[in-house]
Amino acid sequence: MNLFAEIRELVITCLDALVAEGRLPAGLNTGAVTVEPPRDAAHGDMATNAAMVLAKPSAMKPRDIAEALAEKLTADPRVDMAEVAGPGFLNLRLAPAVWQGIITAALTSDGFGRSDMGQGQKVNVEFVSANPTGPLHVGHTRGAVFGDALASLLDFAGWDVTREYYINDGGAQVDVLARSVYLRYLEAHGQEVAFPDGTYPGDYLIDTGKALKAKVGDAYIDQPEAVWLDDVRSFGTEAMMELIRIDLASLGVEMDLFYSEKSLYGTGLIEAAIKDLDSKGLIYKGKLEPPKGKVPEDWEPREQTLFKSTDFGDDVDRPIMKSDGSWTYFAPDIAYHYDKVQRGYDQLIDVFGADHGGYVKRMKAAVSALSGGKVPLDVKLAQLVKLYKDGEPFKMSKRAGKFITVRDVVDAVGKDVTRFHMLTRKNDAPLDFDFDKVTEQSKDNPVFYVQYAHARIASVLRKAVEAGIVVDDTTLAGADLSGLTHEAELKVAQKVAEFPRLIEIAARTNEPHRIAFYLYEMASEFHALWNRGNDDTSLRFLQDGDSSATQSKIALIRAVAVVISSGLGILGVTPADEMR
RNA sequence: GGUCCCGUAGCUCAACUGGAUAGAGCACCUCACUUCUAAUGAGGAUGUUGAAGGUUCGAGUCCUUCCGGGAUCACCA
């Protein structure tokens, strides 16, 4: 239940009543009417812009509308006060019983904050999709964490979510992998090997080379590439995907589906997808102009098979077939998205690294063309992560096979810290990741701040149990909450009430980072209330000898714990019950 | 040169997709633990939101043009 939506309903009802009484003209569009928390809490609990957005269409003064509306609203028992302010805002103060009701709702509803706004629509979230040529490195971490949290968020908001990983196992890079594994295989047989340019020199392939030796013995020694390439390629790819699965698991990411690019070949799916586009008149043979301004040195016009992506907002048409007749990378990608559309998703989301930004328009164009504009594709770019250690930038070199892996990061700072920190930035803004700062256990570090709030609540609950108070949620929800009227307590309840609304905003904008910021604010409100208890003993959660008052206060902080736990759950962070 | 992203307090970032006097944390100063965990809280200062125009009741947010930073740019995936 979203309280803001509920009050908005009330506002609309009151407007309708005014229309019925002839105090407002009929036929007004109330779509732009919003009910929001005011930026400044002093203005009240909620504010509506109704008077301002309706002033022009009704040819009335905002203040007149606002005053009439205020009169109607205050007749409702939920509204204690409605006051016209500023240019025509209507500030509302709600009855304490409303906030007390929120606490009950948080304790009794199955998944407080869950929304049905997704209406069970099927959404596919594709993320990570790193090449199967080695373990995941830090660059992939952000996309992995972001995609996973976004998927959880959409699930929480009522979508039917599939988490999917596209394995790029069909291109030249897996041949490079195969050759690199082969070198490690020779090495396992005692040969001296060198890693020329265009091979992967990383240590992680040593074991793969040994494993290959264990499997095929010396069968591939001194054999031409044609003999072993296919087998070593699939052997190597399998091994790398196994590594990647482990890396993902260490981040708490579990895919529903791994989809192989290779599986697209030879099944006719690529041909079918291209044929679909061709039937829409979007495939033609032609030559592209050189890129404007900066012509590559070896540029020469070539006749290629092109997709008319400019019809869908792209800058140039894109090649799907090389001049030698083989597919470009784009072709299987079109087929893959074609398959996703065929599988009946209502909505597709791709999470790309920032270096794939140039790919967004053509992919959107393809999906738009393939689905007849019916299936929206949203592409989220995960910007780069800059690593720091001791305040110094940390460089990686893929060339030397030296790079920081996901596991290095998780081993150093832990899954929870990694995930939370990665989610404290908008996905399209660059992010600094300082190994020293993120492990610091202080207020500087939002993870610990939020965790600490949850742990404090758990601690109070333990003390309450020792004092013989019954603290299960059902009992607490049934407790008499009418004593919770102090503004400090109501403030906390109000923050709890924002959670369902926040979930819907975060889901609508595909921005899980909003949850991280909300949780920080929620924790802050809680810590503030806790410390008020130092000065004012009536605000302490455990009230000696007054089990009824204690129960109502415990109910309040249990509601906070429910929200923190639930929000952290979406981010994939474990709520802590104690921190020692 | 084209395209995309970013530019907000000394630093790191928010700002509920167009709402009120642009907010937090860090750093700096003052204060609060015989108490449910001080890993916390209360208070104090900080702004031409990169610049200039435009749209309207109202702009950090939308449009245009610049400036600065990053990413990317045809037979690479």
Side-chain angles (χ1 to χ4, degrees):
Chain A
M1 171 54 73
N2 182 340
L3 184 62
F4 293 85
E6 188 183 319
I7 298 300
R8 183 176 182 275
E9 291 290 309
L10 175 63
V11 168
I12 304 291
T13 307
C14 291
L15 289 170
D16 287 345
L18 290 171
V19 170
E21 292 169 20
R23 297 166 70 182
L24 275 178
L28 290 175
N29 179 4
T30 54
V33 172
T34 60
V35 172
E36 305 179 332
R39 198 170 267 181
D40 185 344
H43 289 137
D45 301 328
M46 290 188 185
T48 178
N49 63 354
M52 281 182 294
V53 297
L54 296 179
K56 203 171 213 179
S58 62
M60 291 173 66
K61 286 182 197 154
R63 288 196 77 91
D64 293 343
I65 300 176
E67 274 161 23
L69 182 57
E71 179 194 321
K72 286 284 172 203
L73 285 168
T74 43
D76 190 279
R78 287 168 287 184
V79 180
D80 266 4
M81 181 209 82
E83 195 173 74
V84 187
F89 281 101
L90 194 55
N91 293 325
L92 309 179
R93 197 168 295 284
L94 303 186
V98 172
W99 306 116
Q100 293 153 7
I102 286 292
I103 296 166
T104 312
L107 296 178
T108 51
S109 52
D110 182 24
F112 176 68
R114 275 194 181 275
S115 165
D116 57 1
M117 78 183 284
Q119 298 180 314
Q121 284 195 67
K122 288 181 67 179
V123 58
N124 180 295
V125 182
E126 182 210 326
F127 60 112
V128 190
S129 299
N131 287 342
T133 54
L136 296 181
H137 59 76
V138 260
H140 299 120
T141 314
R142 192 170 185 188
V145 169
F146 172 79
D148 189 51
L150 175 59
S152 298
L153 170 62
L154 292 175
D155 176 79
F156 199 70
W159 271 270
D160 177 6
V161 182
T162 304
R163 292 171 166 83
E164 194 157 315
Y165 185 119
Y166 180 58
I167 310 171
N168 291 121
D169 54 3
Q173 77 283 3
V174 281
D175 289 345
V176 173
L177 173 72
R179 292 185 193 105
S180 307
V181 170
Y182 184 72
L183 288 172
R184 289 296 184 187
Y185 161 80
L186 296 179
E187 189 181 55
H189 277 284
Q191 297 190 19
E192 285 282 329
V193 295
F195 287 84
D197 275 356
T199 55
Y200 301 131
D203 290 345
Y204 57 88
L205 290 179
I206 293 175
D207 285 344
T208 315
K210 285 181 185 161
L212 181 61
K213 177 189 171 189
K215 185 187 165 208
V216 303
D218 55 8
Y220 290 156
I221 294 181
D222 294 328
Q223 295 294 320
E225 194 170 285
V227 172
W228 50 261
L229 188 67
D230 280 353
D231 186 39
V232 174
R233 185 172 47 217
S234 53
F235 185 84
T237 310
E238 279 298 314
M240 292 308 102
M241 284 313 297
E242 199 44 49
L243 282 182
I244 288 171
R245 272 176 229 261
I246 293 168
D247 287 348
L248 288 174
S250 77
L251 278 173
V253 176
E254 202 179 319
M255 294 289 172
D256 296 310
L257 185 63
F258 288 87
Y259 195 105
S260 159
E261 176 194 353
K262 206 171 76 181
S263 74
L264 291 166
Y265 293 94
T267 58
L269 198 60
I270 299 178
E271 292 75 7
I274 302 305
K275 196 179 162 194
D276 182 280
L277 293 176
D278 198 18
S279 72
K280 290 166 178 158
L282 297 169
I283 301 292
Y284 69 101
K285 282 188 193 294
K287 292 176 184 174
L288 287 176
E289 295 293 314
K292 288 197 172 63
K294 187 181 148 194
V295 181
E297 286 173 25
D298 56 346
W299 198 89
E300 58 183 55
R302 291 187 192 84
E303 174 144 306
Q304 297 166 309
T305 306
L306 300 166
F307 165 52
K308 209 155 187 281
S309 54
T310 46
D311 275 11
F312 301 87
D314 202 358
D315 309 306
V316 289
D317 292 336
R318 304 292 177 176
I320 53 164
M321 194 181 272
K322 304 173 193 171
S323 47
D324 68 2
S326 63
W327 298 116
T328 65
Y329 172 77
F330 190 34
D333 232 1
I334 290 174
Y336 172 49
H337 284 80
Y338 178 67
D339 184 60
K340 287 199 230 179
V341 170
Q342 297 294 310
R343 278 186 271 155
Y345 289 104
D346 300 299
Q347 192 186 342
L348 303 179
I349 297 176
D350 287 356
V351 179
F352 289 171
D355 53 343
H356 284 63
Y359 209 67
V360 174
K361 280 186 181 176
R362 81 192 67 169
M363 212 60 252
K364 283 189 173 186
V367 171
S368 183
L370 289 167
S371 71
K374 290 202 183 76
V375 180
L377 167 68
D378 192 8
V379 180
K380 308 296 280 186
L381 294 181
Q383 273 291 344
L384 303 181
V385 176
K386 276 189 218 155
L387 285 183
Y388 290 87
K389 194 161 173 66
D390 306 322
E392 294 289 312
F394 213 77
K395 283 275 176 201
M396 296 198 297
S397 163
K398 199 168 186 180
R399 171 70 198 84
K402 241 183 66 181
F403 50 86
I404 315 273
T405 62
V406 160
R407 236 174 309 166
D408 292 337
V409 176
V410 173
D411 287 351
V413 306
K415 178 199 79 161
D416 289 340
V417 171
T418 306
R419 291 190 61 122
F420 197 96
H421 194 77
M422 292 279 176
L423 291 167
T424 52
R425 280 306 102 88
K426 268 189 293 218
N427 59 289
D428 49 7
L431 169 79
D432 290 345
F433 195 92
D434 188 317
F435 277 94
D436 305 303
K437 274 194 184 158
V438 298
T439 46
E440 199 177 331
Q441 302 204 0
S442 76
K443 198 177 162 187
D444 298 21
N445 193 334
V447 196
F448 286 93
Y449 188 78
V450 173
Q451 295 269 39
Y452 183 40
H454 191 269
R456 270 183 154 175
I457 294 168
S459 167
V460 174
L461 287 168
R462 286 193 293 270
K463 297 274 182 186
V465 170
E466 283 172 24
I469 309 284
V470 183
V471 296
D472 68 279
D473 284 352
T474 317
T475 308
L476 291 175
D480 175 18
L481 302 179
S482 61
L484 288 175
T485 51
H486 194 285
E487 49 84 23
E489 291 167 334
L490 292 181
K491 228 176 144 187
V492 170
Q494 284 163 15
K495 204 71 196 172
V496 171
E498 278 180 36
F499 185 62
R501 177 171 180 269
L502 177 98
I503 291 294
E504 295 190 346
I505 292 167
R508 189 174 63 238
T509 54
N510 291 343
E511 291 181 341
H513 78 275
R514 289 175 189 274
I515 295 172
F517 282 97
Y518 167 81
L519 290 176
Y520 187 86
E521 290 165 13
M522 182 75 261
S524 178
E525 294 290 353
F526 169 76
H527 287 310
L529 179 59
W530 175 293
N531 273 66
R532 291 283 290 264
N534 287 340
D535 301 327
D536 182 349
T537 53
S538 74
L539 287 176
R540 295 190 189 176
F541 306 129
L542 300 177
Q543 296 288 323
D544 272 348
D546 189 345
S547 63
S548 166
T550 301
Q551 267 193 337
S552 66
K553 289 166 190 296
I554 298 283
L556 172 64
I557 61 171
R558 246 314 278 170
V560 173
V562 164
V563 165
I564 290 181
S565 166
S566 175
L568 286 178
I570 292 169
L571 303 184
V573 177
T574 318
D577 281 341
E578 62 180 350
M579 304 177 73
R580 298 222 178 243

